Amino acid sequence: AARGDRIFEKTTAPKFKAYLVADAKRLTGLPGGVGGNLMKPEFAFGPFKDYITEGKMPSEAELPELQRKWDDVVTVAELMSTNGVVELVDVGFAAAKKDEGQGAKDAKRDKPNKKRGPAKSNDRKNEQSTASHSYVFTFTAKPPAFINVLNALESCERFITVDDFTF
């Protein structure tokens, strides 16, 4: 799963913003079915809209996570373009889901055991929340393109899963 991990160079907020704006312009020109492009010229890039069109500057603390999320969005947008998607309509960050069954297991695991002593802290849940991100992509595609996108997501070098999809 780690094969497709990426390492990002440390950057500054102004450099990241300039890169983001230039890359967004490149992405809007990807091949698709909206006048030959994947997106409408005014496509806002969902959660990145503030940085691309509104003039907001990201904080230095946000940069590593924003770099990672932007790379994920770019990867999926490029994948959609190369697999026949007509239009990328919207992109957003999905709300984090809590696994209630896992919480009960962790509570049991964290109880001290008289024979073993106190339970060790289970930091894997924290690592998971920072290492995994969920997105919602809304796009228009004909059935063969939809299947191509799913197959491409499955075979992508990045570890990508599809949690849910709706027609």
Side-chain angles (χ1 to χ4, degrees):
R3 181 181 78 202
D5 278 351
R6 298 199 171 82
I7 298 171
F8 303 102
E9 288 184 30
K10 213 169 191 183
T11 189
T12 63
K15 283 183 182 178
F16 176 71
K17 182 178 169 77
Y19 171 75
L20 199 62
V21 170
D23 211 25
K25 188 172 187 167
R26 178 186 67 81
L27 289 176
T28 56
L30 289 174
V34 182
N37 298 326
L38 180 63
M39 304 162 213
K40 293 179 180 171
E42 65 275 1
F43 186 77
F45 290 96
F48 294 98
K49 177 183 180 183
D50 292 345
Y51 309 119
I52 295 171
T53 61
E54 307 275 318
K56 183 179 174 188
M57 193 68 70
S59 72
E60 296 292 326
E62 293 176 303
L63 285 176
E65 187 171 332
L66 286 174
Q67 283 179 290
R68 158 74 189 283
K69 288 181 175 182
W70 179 252
D71 184 69
D72 291 344
V73 168
V74 168
T75 298
V76 174
E78 289 172 341
L79 187 140
M80 288 181 175
S81 175
T82 58
N83 285 286
V85 167
V86 174
E87 179 184 6
L88 178 56
V89 178
D90 191 26
V91 62
F93 299 147
K97 295 179 186 176
K98 287 191 175 184
D99 184 2
E100 302 205 9
Q102 184 67 29
K105 288 179 189 174
D106 287 344
K108 276 185 179 178
R109 198 177 298 140
D110 288 343
K111 287 183 184 174
N113 185 328
K114 290 180 185 177
K115 294 179 185 175
R116 290 184 287 157
K120 292 182 182 176
S121 172
N122 185 1
D123 286 342
R124 270 193 297 157
K125 190 164 45 169
N126 291 338
E127 289 174 21
Q128 176 70 16
S129 67
T130 60
S132 133
H133 301 283
S134 295
Y135 307 91
V136 176
F137 289 90
T138 306
F139 60 97
T140 306
K142 294 187 179 194
F146 179 71
I147 298 302
N148 289 342
V149 167
L150 289 177
N151 288 336
L153 288 169
E154 177 187 357
S155 62
C156 182
E157 77 171 8
R158 298 280 293 145
F159 184 73
I160 298 175
T161 61
V162 177
D163 294 335
D164 192 16
F165 62 88
T166 335
F167 291 101

